[in-house]
Amino acid sequence: MYLAVVGFIMLFLVIFLLFKEKSIPMILFITIPVVAAFIAGFSIEEVDGFIKDGIKTVSNMAILFIFSVTFFGIMSDAGMFDILVNKLVKKAGKNVILIAVITAIIAIFSHLDGATVTTVLVTIPALLPLYKKMNIRPQLLLLITGCGMGVMNLLPWGGPVVRAAAVLNMDVNVLWHLLIPIQIMGLIATIGLAIVMAIREVKYYGAGQVNDSILDSDIDNINEADNNVENLKRPKLVLFNLLLTFAVLVVLLFNKFPNYFVFMFGCSIALLVNYPNIKEQKARIKAHASAALDVSAVMLAAGILVGVLGKSGMLEAMTIPLLKIIPSFIAKYLQIVMGILALPLGTIIGTDSYFYGIMPLAMEVGQNYSIEPLNMAIAMLIGKNISLLVSPMVPATFLAIGLTNTELKDHLKYSLIPLWILSLIMLIFAIVIGMVKL
């Protein structure tokens, strides 16, 4: 019982301090679990074992994140996405439904790097003038962007999938292969949502009535950047970069090499071809170091929390009182309950708290009712991913509403329910195909 009390206090402190933003996650994940382990009565040798086991669990995924973010950052610097975005914007013309579909496609492709800020900066500035010209409310742009990035975040280098794989102690590429049918369904649903919401905008809010105060020249020049950014573009290498990216994704699908090595190799080729000068290579690595290291450092630190929770017996001890509290008729369907609540929970709880605090506990309780951990993880992943751009805990949310000059409450009022419905559709599909078992 004492071990369970220490475990609950540890998790409560971590989640509370993260929610209150009293410290960065890395510090909390390193200090609190270690202190808790000593308070629980474990020796230095035992705590050392917990730490090593936990770090071993997440180290490959941390390396994957570093090099995947760097690879797609280099592709973005070189202008791989520019031609696609510019052609799609021109293709959209003045058809509101087509504009909405094009928005979804741009959001989906621009989130290949798994970075929410990149997706926001590629999609919203490119399309906002067109939305204004066609009298389409910016809330639709936010909704579709958030939906596209949420579905694409199920990629193996997406932060939530990497975290879930760490908690499962599972190869992230294997987990992604299982998620592919759900992701494809999500992509189809994203296009469907874009069409339905665009029809609604036309029918009820006058979208499609041309605003002549927004000139076509404004739309043509939306991606005009400063000289420093333009100097990084490699328009003659766009085809090569597309083929390299395609090759990386194909190799990942075949799963013949460690996924982190695939991106390490891809980064090396991308740098050699696009930026052969050693100073340019160093500059590109430095430019993406912050984004690459931020999450990977947190992931390595979270390995300590995972190690202490899993190897000390805390997690098992914590399930005993929970089993007494949760009615059995609910507990045996806990994966469905958690899947339904995943989006609202993901909206108000930070990513690290969700995956390293709530998910392991839900898995452990579920196992007592013959619910496999993988079953629970997939159910909880779907809604959490879709909640990305409606969560006040995600910095990109504030960047997006700032760029569109939209109030947070208006964004949530417009987007929350449609996204929740979409997450439930994906959950139902996962149940139908047997990925989430009843």
Side-chain angles (χ1 to χ4, degrees), residues 369-400:
Y369 291 90
S370 302
I371 301 170
E372 295 177 4
L374 178 61
N375 207 359
M376 182 70 74
I378 291 175
M380 293 181 69
L381 256 175
I382 296 168
K384 174 58 184 171
N385 271 285
I386 301 299
S387 73
L388 269 176
L389 209 63
V390 286
S391 174
M393 306 298 289
V394 176
T397 300
F398 295 97
L399 174 63

Side-chain angles (χ1 to χ4, degrees), residues 310-360:
K311 299 298 180 179
S312 67
M314 278 187 193
L315 211 51
E316 292 88 340
M318 291 162 69
T319 60
I320 295 170
L322 289 175
L323 290 172
K324 293 177 180 177
I325 295 170
I326 303 172
S328 60
F329 71 90
I330 292 177
K332 65 183 180 181
Y333 297 112
L334 188 60
Q335 79 278 32
I336 307 300
V337 174
M338 296 305 295
I340 292 169
L341 296 177
L343 187 132
L345 274 176
T347 301
I348 61 175
I349 296 175
T351 304
D352 293 312
S353 303
Y354 184 90
F355 284 99
Y356 298 128
I358 294 174
M359 183 177 278

Side-chain angles (χ1 to χ4, degrees), residues 165-219:
V167 174
L168 285 163
N169 194 15
M170 179 181 185
D171 184 276
V172 69
N173 228 27
V174 174
L175 177 58
W176 175 49
H177 286 182
L178 296 174
L179 292 169
I180 287 173
I182 301 172
Q183 189 173 30
I184 292 171
M185 173 61 193
L187 294 174
I188 295 169
T190 299
I191 301 296
L193 178 67
I195 293 170
V196 169
M197 297 303 286
I199 292 171
R200 182 171 174 265
E201 288 294 313
V202 172
K203 189 172 181 179
Y204 297 108
Y205 299 99
Q209 298 174 7
V210 178
N211 183 353
D212 292 323
S213 64
I214 306 294
L215 303 175
D216 288 328
S217 58
D218 294 331
I219 298 173

Side-chain angles (χ1 to χ4, degrees), residues 270-286:
L271 283 169
L272 281 170
V273 175
N274 288 280
Y275 306 103
N277 183 285
I278 192 168
K279 288 184 179 179
E280 290 179 323
Q281 291 172 0
K282 288 180 178 179
R284 290 305 88 222
I285 293 294
K286 189 176 180 180

